């Protein structure tokens, strides 16, 4: 369906996004024992607070990494594998954007495990995997979007699965209103990321982020601002 040479650039972009997602998944992985213990005590209120407080820390610390890939992706790819691959940075907004939506619900991943309610999650995960394949084929074969079609299929599935479905299901298990759960797990943590996004956009507009030293400086500045809003 696609020229194998094109997949090299795609694989590099996906690799960066996946490595960034590991920061989130490993940070939230420690919640499983605590979530199980709280559920065993029947304390769903504290379980919900555990998820919300975790998101207040994890999301503002991880989203700046995805924003960095979106804004400074061309320079990063140029330095990492050569200027001929800079055009693949167009994939970062789709893949990293979907990952931002996904990271807001990573801490909630322990909830179905704690409740022992994995049937619906398993079915939905399988359905989303099939939808990802079908959407990618449709975008590539029929709309001829190329690699953008592959990335678009992945992004659509991530956003659909992680924003409408996952908050609804976990809010149902926690017995909290869906709107309240969305506010505390998605909206409020992302609001804390706005200052970092503004600073990164400003640094890019000023022409900063050139070379490895410039990229490192942007990361340090962004990390300090993100840490201040945790």
């Amino acid at each position: 369906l696609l020229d194998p040479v094109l997949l090299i650039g795609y694989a590099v972009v996906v690799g960066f996004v996946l490595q960034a997602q590991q920061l989130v998944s490993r940070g939230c992985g420690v919640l499983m024992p605590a979530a199980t213990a709280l559920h065993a005590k029947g304390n769903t209120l504290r379980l919900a607070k555990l998820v919300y407080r975790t998101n207040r820390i994890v999301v503002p610390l991880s989203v700046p990494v995805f924003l960095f890939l979106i804004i400074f992706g061309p320079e990063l790819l140029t330095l990492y594998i050569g200027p001929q691959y800079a055009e693949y940075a167009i994939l970062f907004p789709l893949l990293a954007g979907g990952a931002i939506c996904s990271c807001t619900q990573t801490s909630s991943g322990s909830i179905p495990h704690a409740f022992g309610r994995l049937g619906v999650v398993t079915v939905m995960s399988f359905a989303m995997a099939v939808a990802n394949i079908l959407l990618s084929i449709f975008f590539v074969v029929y709309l001829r979007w190329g690699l953008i079609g592959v990335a678009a299929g992945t992004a659509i599935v991530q956003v659909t699965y992680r924003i409408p479905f996952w908050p609804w299901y976990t809010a149902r298990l926690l017995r909290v209103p869906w709107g309240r759960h969305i506010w505390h797990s998605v909206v409020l943590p992302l609001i804390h990321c706005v200052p970092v996004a503004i600073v990164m956009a400003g640094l890019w507009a000023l022409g900063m982020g050139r070379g490895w030293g410039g990229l490192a400086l942007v990361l340090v500045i962004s990390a300090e601002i993100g840490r201040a809003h945790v």
Side-chain angles (χ1 to χ4, degrees):
L1 297 178
L2 293 170
D3 186 344
V5 176
L6 297 177
L7 300 180
I8 298 175
Y10 182 83
V12 173
V13 172
V14 170
F16 276 119
V17 175
L18 289 178
Q19 290 297 323
Q21 286 180 308
Q22 288 296 316
L23 298 174
V24 187
S25 60
R26 292 185 179 182
C28 295
V30 297
L31 294 180
M32 194 75 68
T36 304
L38 289 173
H39 174 257
K41 296 178 180 178
N43 200 335
T44 55
L45 178 60
R46 285 190 62 190
L47 186 52
K49 288 182 178 180
L50 174 68
V51 171
Y52 301 151
R53 288 173 180 173
T54 302
N55 262 20
R56 291 179 195 173
I57 298 173
V58 172
V59 174
L61 289 178
S62 58
V63 167
V65 180
F66 297 115
L67 293 175
F68 175 82
L69 294 176
I70 293 172
I71 297 173
F72 297 97
E75 181 68 14
L76 179 62
L77 292 179
T78 297
L79 295 172
Y80 186 64
I81 51 177
Q84 68 273 24
Y85 288 96
E87 62 186 50
Y88 289 89
I90 195 174
L91 301 173
F92 277 127
L94 288 170
L95 295 174
I100 289 174
C101 295
S102 180
C103 81
T104 63
Q105 298 304 308
T106 304
S107 64
S108 300
S110 59
I111 303 302
H113 290 271
F115 280 77
R117 303 284 294 275
L118 298 176
V120 175
V121 175
T122 302
V123 172
M124 283 298 297
S125 297
F126 177 76
M128 292 297 100
V130 173
N132 191 356
I133 295 172
L134 294 178
L135 282 173
S136 297
I137 292 175
F138 175 75
F139 290 146
V140 172
V141 176
Y142 293 98
L143 298 185
R144 301 191 179 281
W145 285 3
L147 289 178
I148 293 179
V150 179
T154 301
I156 290 172
V157 167
Q158 273 192 318
V159 173
T160 304
Y161 180 53
R162 283 300 196 174
I163 296 301
F165 167 73
W166 199 261
W168 167 81
Y169 188 59
T170 52
R172 185 167 171 265
L173 293 176
L174 294 170
R175 286 176 284 181
V176 297
W178 182 80
R180 176 186 171 190
H181 188 68
I182 283 286
W183 172 257
H184 285 287
S185 66
V186 180
V187 179
L188 195 57
L190 289 179
I191 288 176
H192 290 293
C193 301
V194 172
V196 179
I198 294 174
V199 169
M200 278 193 176
L203 293 175
W204 176 82
L206 292 173
M208 298 185 66
R210 307 299 181 193
W212 289 114
L215 292 178
L217 180 61
V218 169
L219 280 175
V220 170
I221 294 173
S222 302
E224 286 299 314
I225 295 174
R227 187 172 62 86
H229 288 83
V230 171

